[in-house]
Amino acid sequence: MGKETKIKSDSKISLADNLRSLREAHGFTQSYMIKEMQLRGCSTSKQNYSKYEKGQAHISASELVAIAEILNTSIDSLFTSSVL
């Protein structure tokens, strides 16, 4: 597999806030998200996932796809200016 693209929020869309809001709306814990991501082949740690939701780390494209699958949502919805 080639080099992965990394994604981070910008001033108009907060990917971090959207990830947290969607996860909480589903009633999922961060630990659950990490376990499910690892089952999908992502090597995400608790520390890294926490940083994703705080906007302190870049998220890879493959991790973003896994998160969308776990949350049963489209990738587009992760990038809306207001998720909920």
Side-chain angles (χ1 to χ4, degrees), residues 8-24:
K8 191 170 180 181
S9 302
D10 62 22
S11 62
K12 295 180 183 177
I13 297 173
S14 177
L15 178 59
D17 289 344
N18 290 350
L19 291 175
R20 184 177 50 254
S21 294
L22 285 166
R23 175 183 60 77
E24 289 174 349

Side-chain angles (χ1 to χ4, degrees), residues 29-46 49 66 70:
T29 63
Q30 287 185 351
S31 295
Y32 175 82
M33 294 296 294
I34 295 159
K35 180 185 79 168
E36 289 297 314
M37 290 174 71
Q38 289 172 346
L39 289 172
R40 288 168 172 78
C42 300
S43 59
T44 306
S45 68
K46 182 170 178 65
Y49 187 85
I70 296 163

Side-chain angles (χ1 to χ4, degrees), residues 3 7 12 15 19 26 30 41 47 49 57 67-68 76 79 81 83:
K3 186 177 177 180
I7 301 167
K12 295 180 183 177
L15 178 59
L19 291 175
H26 281 78
Q30 287 185 351
Q47 181 179 13
Y49 187 85
I67 289 169
D76 290 348
F79 290 100
S81 56
V83 175

Side-chain angles (χ1 to χ4, degrees), residues 68-80:
E69 288 175 359
I70 296 163
L71 297 174
N72 194 29
T73 192
S74 69
I75 292 175
D76 290 348
S77 70
L78 299 175
F79 290 100
T80 61

